[in-house]
Amino acid sequence: KDIKWHMIGHLQRNKVKYIVDKVALIHSVDSLRLAETIENEAAKHNVTVPILIEVNVAQEESKFGLKTEEVLSLVESVAALPHINIKGLMTIVEDPEENRGIFRQLKKLSVDIAAKNINNVNMSVLSMGMTGDYQVAVQEGATMVRVGTGIFGERDYSH
């Protein structure tokens, strides 16, 4: 009963109904349509869902997330939804050589949004960094890292 589950990874709108009342944090909101789906399902369950806005700072084709210039507009729109609480930003980066600069950009974006004092927006979570680069992420301001590979080992897709 004391476990707090987080939804990481891309979330499809048709799956929201299965998780909205079971997770402590959704890490990967990247569109107003997804946020509106979360809002509708959260209202049905009378819960408020904490989320992170996913930002594709490096604009990698293989990753989901918003461009940095799109983030403020989405934050302002989602902030008006009463059953969602924006807790911060997250990113995933593929190229370890670029990570420090990307992490810095996301931290700056987080600080800039926090300075706007938007109701229902709290930039207390900055989720960036994984097993291979979490030290750099923490140095650049991460408050949350994803280190599953470091704990559980490499994934085995052979099954």
Side-chain angles (χ1 to χ4, degrees), residues 46-155:
N46 197 28
V47 295
T48 300
V49 181
I51 67 162
L52 302 178
I53 301 296
E54 183 172 5
V55 185
N56 186 346
V57 179
Q59 296 185 26
E60 294 174 292
E61 301 247 343
S62 62
K63 302 288 184 234
F64 292 95
L66 300 159
K67 295 177 182 176
T68 53
E69 61 269 16
E70 300 170 325
V71 174
L72 180 58
S73 175
L74 181 65
V75 166
E76 290 172 336
S77 296
V78 175
L81 303 175
H83 294 92
I84 293 181
N85 183 251
I86 300 173
K87 293 290 188 184
L89 306 176
M90 70 81 68
T91 195
I92 296 176
V93 182
E94 217 163 273
D95 183 355
E97 295 303 314
E98 294 181 20
N99 293 7
R100 186 174 299 276
I102 289 167
F103 295 155
R104 273 192 191 139
Q105 288 179 52
L106 193 67
K107 172 66 175 179
K108 180 184 182 321
L109 182 59
S110 174
V111 169
D112 290 348
I113 291 170
K116 294 190 179 296
N117 291 318
I118 303 167
N119 286 340
N120 198 28
V121 176
N122 174 344
M123 288 287 126
S124 61
V125 177
L126 192 56
S127 177
M128 53 189 194
M130 296 190 290
T131 299
D133 60 6
Y134 74 90
Q135 297 97 332
V136 172
V138 170
Q139 290 169 0
E140 296 301 333
T143 63
M144 185 176 291
V145 294
R146 295 171 304 281
V147 292
T149 300
I151 296 169
F152 300 109
E154 294 288 332
R155 292 184 182 145

